[in-house]
């Protein structure tokens, strides 16, 4: 790799999201900004190859891409409106100092997470534009074919253009709902990476949360979102052993990242101290209750899920509350709640794993075996499948012992 190519690769890896955000803020078009940046990269290889990389490569790329965008618009201009836009862009280009261009990524995140887009498209567009993941990487993360994911991202950009959505922060009245959407997308990116054992996706979500927190340093839900992910990410080195997933209560705590747990506790305490409770704070408190005591604090976890269910009455939250009920000694009530969730969670692997566990607690071994089998078939990774297979084997071993034990 030449020096020019190496410098360009490093710059894009570090600053692509910021560069693209600056371009979109000025040209107001996702596709035009991406095409212009691509043109600028080609020029960079030529110019940097002759003269060497500039002192500030990202500033060079922003200026060059802006000019490329103007060239593209000039070539396509056919009416007065485009001529007016070109004139404005040309004035902006002449006045801009790339060294002082502000970080526009917060606006970009909020635009990508607009309610007019479906949740999966919000995730994909955020990963593509802010995190600079390739379409192939995003498709692999969500188990989609690359052409399908490419079409999804293209449709999302087209919808933003068709609806003339503002590349801006929401109005004050829209702020709570839009921020909740942004945090939901960030956490969904993290959980997708966690479920599919994709560390890079988890790291991208943590990066987005940290970025958001630098721009909203005192927002309790943003603080809690980052805390929630850090509580989980800290346990990554201990999450699997011998090819099997290990539950938190059985993990080797010496492998946990103590610095991340300390940071998560600090963030959660800061969020709670503001007395503005929200869903992310409850989820982070649940995560803390799972790992901070020597064993999970199930009564506290159940109470927190009960409150969370009031704020987010979703089948997944109801599932988690049912599991907590079983753990505090109410398996029959838990089973009734799980059966009510059978239809909406029919293809949700954690539902069948939880159902198997609760059925085993009620000594319904044949039904538990069937539920474990279904959960194994739906497992997103081999470690989870191995863990569930071990649970199913233990169930069979317990049945065998019961059959061979004399009654008197």
């Amino acid at each position: 790799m030449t020096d020019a190519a190496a410098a360009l690769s490093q710059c894009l890896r570090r600053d692509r999201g910021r560069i693209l955000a600056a371009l979109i803020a000025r040209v107001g078009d996702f596709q035009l900004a991406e095409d212009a940046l691509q043109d600028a990269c080609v020029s960079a290889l030529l110019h940097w190859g002759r003269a060497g990389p500039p002192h500030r490569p990202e500033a060079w790329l922003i200026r060059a891409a802006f000019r490329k965008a103007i060239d593209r618009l000039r070539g396509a201009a056919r009416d007065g409106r485009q001529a007016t836009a070109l004139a404005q862009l040309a004035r902006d280009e002449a006045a801009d100092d790339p060294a002082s261009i502000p970080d526009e990524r917060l606006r970009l995140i909020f635009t990508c997470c607009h309610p007019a887009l479906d949740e999966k498209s919000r995730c994909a567009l955020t990963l593509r534009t802010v995190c600079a993941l390739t379409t192939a990487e995003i498709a692999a993360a969500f188990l989609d074919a690359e052409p399908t994911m490419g079409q999804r991202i293209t449709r999302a950009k087209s919808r933003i253009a068709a609806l003339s959505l503002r590349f801006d922060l929401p109005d004050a009245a829209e702020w709570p709902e839009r921020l909740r959407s942004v945090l939901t997308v960030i956490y969904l990116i993290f959980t997708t990476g966690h479920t599919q054992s994709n560390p890079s996706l988890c790291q991208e979500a943590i990066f987005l949360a940290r970025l958001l927190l630098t721009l909203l340093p005192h927002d309790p839900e943003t603080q809690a979102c980052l805390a929630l992910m850090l509580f989980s990410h800290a346990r990554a080195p201990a999450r699997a052993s011998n090819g099997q997933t290990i539950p938190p209560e059985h993990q080797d705590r010496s492998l946990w990242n103590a610095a991340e747990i300390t940071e998560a506790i600090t963030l959660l305490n800061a969020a709670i101290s503001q007395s503005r409770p929200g869903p992310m704070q409850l989820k982070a408190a649940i995560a803390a209750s799972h790992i901070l005591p020597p064993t999970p604090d199930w009564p506290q976890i159940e109470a927190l899920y009960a409150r969370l269910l009031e704020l987010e009455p979703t089948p997944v939250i109801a599932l988690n509350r049912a599991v907590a009920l079983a753990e505090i000694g109410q398996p029959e009530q838990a089973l009734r709640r799980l059966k009510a969730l059978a239809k909406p969670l029919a293809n949700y692997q954690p539902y069948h794993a939880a159902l198997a566990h609760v059925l085993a607690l009620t000594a319904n071994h044949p039904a538990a075996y069937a539920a474990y089998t279904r959960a194994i078939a739906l497992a997103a990774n081999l470690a989870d499948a191995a863990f569930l297979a071990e649970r199913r084997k233990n169930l069979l071993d317990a049945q065998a012992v019961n059959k061979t034990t004399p009654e008197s």
Side-chain angles (χ1 to χ4, degrees):
M1 181 181 292
T2 65
D3 290 345
L8 179 61
S9 177
Q10 182 180 16
C11 178
L12 292 176
R13 189 166 54 249
R14 183 185 64 240
D15 290 317
R16 185 183 185 277
R18 191 171 74 85
I19 294 169
L20 197 57
L23 290 171
I24 295 172
R26 282 155 181 75
V27 305
D29 186 297
F30 276 76
Q31 195 59 53
L32 175 60
E34 284 200 336
D35 292 343
L37 178 56
Q38 186 64 36
D39 292 345
C41 289
V42 174
S43 294
L45 289 175
L46 296 174
H47 288 280
W48 299 3
R50 291 195 298 263
H55 175 63
R56 296 191 66 236
E58 74 283 1
W60 193 100
L61 284 174
I62 289 173
R63 175 59 64 86
F66 198 23
R67 290 171 177 166
K68 296 293 185 182
I70 292 173
D71 290 343
R72 280 178 171 266
L73 283 174
R74 186 174 289 121
R78 290 190 177 87
D79 56 39
R81 287 177 302 173
Q82 285 181 310
T84 301
L86 275 169
Q88 180 61 50
L89 284 175
R91 286 194 295 272
D92 291 345
E93 193 272 337
D96 260 344
D97 174 11
S100 63
I101 290 176
D103 193 331
E104 302 281 12
R105 282 176 293 183
L106 180 60
R107 294 186 182 195
L108 183 55
I109 292 172
F110 273 88
T111 305
C112 292
C113 297
H114 195 282
L117 304 178
D118 66 86
E119 196 170 71
K120 195 169 185 179
S121 294
R122 295 178 205 170
C123 286
L125 196 57
T126 301
L127 289 171
R128 181 75 187 96
T129 56
V130 185
C131 298
L133 267 65
T134 66
T135 302
E137 289 171 330
I138 300 168
F142 288 96
L143 304 181
D144 279 346
E146 184 176 349
T148 302
M149 183 55 72
Q151 292 168 6
R152 175 179 290 279
I153 294 172
T154 299
R155 285 196 301 269
K157 295 174 186 174
S158 298
R159 183 159 178 76
I160 287 174
L163 296 176
S164 299
L165 299 181
R166 291 185 305 160
F167 180 79
D168 209 345
L169 298 178
D171 295 332
E174 301 174 343
W175 184 263
E177 179 184 357
R178 291 286 296 279
L179 179 59
R180 190 178 307 118
S181 175
V182 169
L183 293 174
T184 298
V185 165
I186 290 174
Y187 186 53
L188 182 58
I189 291 170
F190 180 86
T191 56
T192 300
H194 170 73
T195 301
Q196 298 177 8
S197 300
N198 186 335
S200 63
L201 211 55
C202 294
Q203 290 162 4
E204 293 295 347
I206 290 173
F207 159 77
L208 287 174
R210 289 194 187 282
L211 173 62
L212 199 59
L213 194 59
T214 62
L215 301 163
L216 301 169
H218 303 298
D219 179 73
E221 284 292 89
T222 305
Q223 291 171 326
C225 181
L226 179 55
L228 173 60
M229 292 188 291
L230 289 175
F231 276 130
S232 178
H233 192 258
R235 297 184 284 106
R239 190 165 286 126
S241 178
N242 296 322
Q244 289 189 25
T245 299
I246 307 297
E249 60 269 27
H250 298 306
Q251 291 174 4
D252 182 352
R253 290 175 175 247
S254 68
L255 299 177
W256 291 1
N257 187 319
E260 288 189 341
I261 291 176
T262 299
E263 183 184 1
I265 293 170
T266 301
L267 286 165
L268 179 57
N269 287 338
I272 292 172
S273 69
Q274 298 184 54
S275 301
R276 289 189 285 155
M280 284 295 172
Q281 293 170 68
L282 289 168
K283 292 173 184 176
I286 289 167
S289 298
H290 269 289
I291 69 173
L292 294 185
T295 57
D297 186 350
W298 285 110
Q300 173 77 354
I301 292 169
E302 193 280 325
L304 290 168
Y305 270 125
R307 174 64 180 133
L308 182 58
L309 192 58
E310 295 173 3
L311 299 179
E312 291 187 1
T314 67
V316 172
I317 302 301
L319 165 65
N320 284 299
R321 191 192 177 194
V323 172
L325 284 169
E327 295 296 340
I328 63 174
Q330 301 180 35
E332 295 293 348
Q333 182 181 352
L335 189 57
R336 287 195 295 272
R337 290 173 180 264
L338 287 173
K339 288 181 177 178
L341 298 170
K343 187 173 182 179
L345 298 179
N347 295 313
Y348 187 58
Q349 185 268 349
Y351 167 77
H352 296 280
L355 179 62
H357 176 62
V358 175
L359 285 167
L361 291 177
T362 62
N364 189 341
H365 293 152
Y369 183 92
Y372 272 129
T373 300
R374 177 62 173 156
I376 292 168
L378 292 172
N381 57 69
L382 295 176
D384 283 352
F387 167 74
L388 293 167
E390 183 69 18
R391 284 285 183 96
R392 187 177 64 177
K393 178 179 180 298
N394 292 341
L395 187 69
L396 290 175
D397 291 344
Q399 285 182 276
V401 169
N402 291 336
K403 288 179 181 178
T404 58
T405 300
E407 294 183 4
S408 61

